[in-house]
Amino acid sequence: MGLPDYKGYKELLVTLENGVLTVLINRAKQRNTFNGPTFLELVNVFELADLDDRVKAVILTAEHTAAAYCSGADIAGGWDLLFTPEEEKEGEHAHRDSGGVLALTIYRCRKLTIAAVNGHAAGVGMTALQLPFDVRFAWSGAKLTFPFVRRGIVPEATSSYLLPRLLGQSRAMSLLLTGETITPDHPHISALYHQILPTREAVYPTAKAFAEELAANTSQVSIALAKGLVQHPGDSAEENHLNDSRSMRITGKSVDAAEGVKSFFERRPPRFAGKLSTDLPSWHPWWRPLDVKHRKTKL
């Protein structure tokens, strides 16, 4: 299998530079709404990025002339879930929410993931396109909302799992049960963001500089293991102690650990050579991954 060139997407513009993969939602005329093709392309690009050793970090942002980072799902035709015949026969439990499939794909990505929220965001623009990321940057003037209960549906894309863990249950309830429209500096949500920028134009360059610095100075194997320890800590502090102890033993004997010590004493930037394709221990993942079926339909 050759290296992906990230070309040929219709809804996205994707570029790789200095170890940073930038994924741009290119639907300004549609206010960067989320539809079936966008879903499939985003799932594909994050799966490729996870496997591509050239990629150290992934940034998701949007064509900003629309004023929206993502204004939610394209519901011009209503909530058209388009069940396959097999799903219709099996029943309602067979459905897989496309936002959730995408959110889990991003959450499972072993690279550093960054959301550069350079416009207004609603619905899936708040859930799948923000919550599963490791770090988020936002424009201070962005209008943000989780509008689900005001549309007669429920919060999707694993948001009921992720949001309380990111902000606490009290803030999550305030956001999910009111559907209020707020800005990133509001006390209910400000802790979600690594940095809040005064202009839309500053969001992506700030996120890109952040990503490039980390791409140049961190070990991708260490990033993957650290993410695993946070996302899958086990059922107790003692179990997490066993997991991080084993991870420390493995990484402490690695080429990246030797380079980290050497570069520290030589007072120079590190040159980490470890790759996920060859140097991630076979013990990872130590949890039981669940296979989530991809639905090749609109929403």
Side-chain angles (χ1 to χ4, degrees):
M1 178 179 174
L3 294 173
D5 60 11
Y6 301 104
K7 295 179 182 178
Y9 295 111
K10 295 181 179 180
E11 309 294 336
L12 309 174
L13 294 176
V14 185
T15 56
L16 177 59
E17 183 181 22
N18 298 328
V20 177
L21 191 73
T22 296
V23 181
L24 178 81
I25 302 173
N26 190 35
R27 290 173 49 79
K29 291 182 179 179
Q30 297 81 23
R31 292 183 56 80
N32 294 321
T33 51
F34 183 83
N35 64 0
T38 307
F39 155 64
L40 292 173
E41 290 185 3
L42 284 170
V43 167
N44 179 259
V45 77
F46 274 92
E47 288 181 336
L48 290 177
D50 178 71
L51 299 172
D52 189 346
D53 286 328
R54 299 172 301 170
V55 176
K56 304 293 184 64
V58 186
I59 302 175
L60 179 67
T61 193
E63 169 52 54
H64 66 274
T65 58
Y69 170 70
C70 174
S71 52
D74 184 351
I75 58 172
W79 298 113
D80 187 4
L81 299 176
L82 290 179
F83 289 146
T84 64
E86 291 80 7
E87 289 172 328
E88 289 284 8
K89 182 178 180 180
E90 191 172 346
E92 60 194 26
H93 68 277
H95 176 58
R96 295 294 181 269
D97 163 49
S98 58
V101 172
L102 174 59
L104 289 171
T105 301
I106 296 168
Y107 193 69
R108 289 194 303 257
C109 182
R110 296 167 297 175
K111 309 299 175 64
L112 177 70
T113 58
I114 301 167
V117 184
N118 57 344
H120 309 310
V124 71
M126 289 300 306
T127 57
L129 302 190
Q130 292 196 48
L131 301 185
F133 287 79
D134 301 318
V135 180
R136 290 155 290 273
F137 292 80
W139 166 44
S140 62
K143 295 179 181 179
L144 313 173
T145 182
F146 297 86
F148 305 102
V149 297
R150 295 177 182 265
R151 301 291 182 268
I153 56 171
V154 296
E156 39 70 274
T158 71
S159 57
S160 58
Y161 176 89
L162 291 173
L163 194 61
R165 285 159 178 77
L166 290 165
L167 295 177
Q169 184 168 327
S170 177
R171 290 188 180 93
M173 287 297 196
S174 293
L175 293 167
L176 296 178
L177 300 187
T178 67
E180 63 183 343
T181 298
I182 57 178
T183 54
D185 57 1
H186 192 284
H188 288 169
I189 204 168
S190 59
L192 188 66
Y193 297 102
H194 180 81
Q195 191 171 349
I196 300 170
L197 286 305
T199 66
R200 292 165 55 197
E201 293 76 17
V203 174
Y204 172 69
T206 303
K208 179 75 178 303
F210 174 86
E212 287 183 337
E213 193 279 326
L214 289 176
N217 294 290
T218 62
S219 159
Q220 62 175 278
V221 175
S222 295
I223 289 284
L225 288 169
K227 288 180 65 166
L229 289 168
V230 172
Q231 294 174 352
H232 304 278
D235 295 328
S236 66
E238 290 80 7
E239 186 175 345
N240 205 49
H241 168 61
L242 296 178
N243 290 337
D244 64 39
S245 295
R246 186 169 183 176
S247 299
M248 179 61 78
R249 172 65 181 266
I250 292 168
T251 56
K253 299 171 72 68
S254 69
V255 293
D256 280 357
E259 169 61 14
V261 172
K262 185 177 181 181
S263 62
F264 174 79
F265 284 109
E266 293 180 357
R267 299 177 181 271
R268 60 169 175 80
R271 295 186 289 270
F272 292 120
K275 299 178 180 179
L276 295 191
S277 63
T278 56
D279 299 294
L280 192 65
S282 59
W283 171 60
H284 179 285
W286 53 85
W287 59 94
R288 182 172 67 92
L290 295 177
D291 181 31
V292 179
K293 176 177 58 176
H294 292 179
R295 295 184 67 251
K296 295 186 178 181
T297 52
K298 278 204 245 178
L299 281 175

